[in-house]
Each structure stands twice: as structure tokens, then as C-alpha cells.
Amino acid sequence: MEKEIIVKSTTGLHASLAVKIVQTASKYAVEIELHYQDKVVDLKSILGLMSLAIPQGQNVRIVATGKNAEAAINDIAAILE
């Protein structure tokens, strides 16, 4: 399952937002990734997520596989949107 969203945070993907995303992703027994431009990172990796330095207004795609993939994607999308 996947979902494309636009990062709406005025400061883009900053440290405290990244922590919330990693904590949320880690609650689910799914494989979950964030695709940005030509990069793909595991959403359970704070370093991977921070390395993207995504600014406000950018399109990203969340891709998840597993039993609760839809719930995981929706929860993370709610943080980014």
C-alpha cells in the first residue's frame, strides 16, 4: 500500500517531527519506507529520515507492507500533512 502526500510543516521535516514519525512507525509490525526524489529510507530510522532534509511543500510517498500497512500510512500521513 502507498500514499503520496505533501509535507505541510512550515519548517519542513525537522528533528521533532522526525522523532514523532519514527515513534509512530515503530508501533506497527510493517515494513514502511518514505520515498523522496530518488531516495528511499526506512521510516523506523531517525538518521535515514533526517538525512533527507525535506523542505515544506515537497511531495513524498509512503510505502508500507504488512498487516496494518493502511493504519501505519494514515497515522504517519497525519503527522506530515
Side-chain angles (χ1 to χ4, degrees), residues 19-79:
V19 168
K20 288 180 187 177
I21 291 168
V22 170
Q23 288 173 339
T24 301
S26 296
K27 289 189 226 177
Y28 295 95
V30 296
E31 290 186 29
I32 189 160
E33 301 171 332
L34 185 105
H35 296 243
Y36 174 63
Q37 295 178 343
D38 61 345
K39 300 172 189 151
V40 178
V41 298
D42 182 346
L43 278 180
K44 295 180 182 180
S45 167
I46 188 74
L47 293 177
L49 193 53
M50 290 299 300
S51 73
L52 296 177
I54 302 170
Q56 177 190 23
Q58 293 297 303
N59 287 332
V60 297
R61 187 165 40 108
I62 303 169
V63 179
T65 56
K67 185 178 178 181
N68 296 316
E70 184 174 3
I73 288 174
N74 289 336
D75 283 355
I76 291 168
I79 295 168

Side-chain angles (χ1 to χ4, degrees), residues 5-18:
I5 61 168
I6 296 173
V7 176
K8 293 186 179 174
S9 170
T10 57
T11 55
L13 185 58
H14 53 81
S16 62
L17 191 59

